[in-house]
Amino acid sequence: DAGVTQSPTHLIKTRGQQVTLRCSPKSGHDTVSWYQQALGQGPQFIFQYYEEEERQRGNFPDRFSGHQFPNYSSELNVNALLLGDSALYLCASSFQGYNGYTFGSGTRLTVV
Amino acid sequence: DAKTTQPNSMESNEEEPVHLPCNHSTISGTDYIHWYRQLPSQGPEYVIHGLTSNVNNRMASLAIAEDRKSSTLILHRATLRDAAVYYCTQWGFGNEKLTFGTGTRLTIIP
């Protein structure tokens, strides 16, 4: 089982640019959540997708948007990048959330 | 948002048991308690979860207080590979997300 796959693993962008991060969930999982983790901090919830709809959203601006495809894979888009968006972006998938989540290894985004 | 409190760091000797505490001050009656751990340069890894009763799996045991305001993750025999940041979190129906604090950095002494 491949688990959760995220791409790319590393990315360097310039302030003001836009970025798209991708996630393939674990086989059998239908829900995808995205988290942002700054250095030395715990992951912060961005949003969650289920049945191709955004089901829940954390305290992040509208510059952060996402999408879920019919095969349950997902994308995270960030527009107008700021230096403060530099972080590890984690994707987590689940089938029944109370049973636990499987996380990917993340995408390290650096904004310069 | 759910609020959990953990010590910033703990140390333990290799092959000794480790008890990692967590306070769940805002937990509701239907919230599940989850524990995850994160090794350097990796995403968090699921360890164990429970609702009311104590739970065991191949990785660890979870002890939940009767009032559910605290939980303890127990690693029965720590190895060097258990060195990681351990997070306790909560998950609830209708608020189906994990809220992470800063976690406990566990150091294992050979």
Side-chain angles (χ1 to χ4, degrees), chain A residues 72-110:
Chain A
Y72 307 118
S73 67
S74 177
E75 288 182 349
L76 164 66
N77 300 294
V78 187
N79 293 323
L81 284 166
L82 304 173
L83 294 178
D85 295 331
S86 295
L88 181 67
Y89 287 86
L90 296 160
C91 173
S93 72
S94 61
F95 173 60
Q96 293 169 322
Y98 65 87
N99 270 333
Y101 289 67
T102 301
F103 283 81
S105 295
T107 295
R108 171 72 62 188
L109 173 65
T110 303

Side-chain angles (χ1 to χ4, degrees), chain B residues 62-73:
Chain B
L62 175 60
I64 300 173
E66 198 168 329
D67 65 2
R68 304 200 332 116
K69 296 295 186 185
S70 66
S71 69
T72 303
L73 179 69

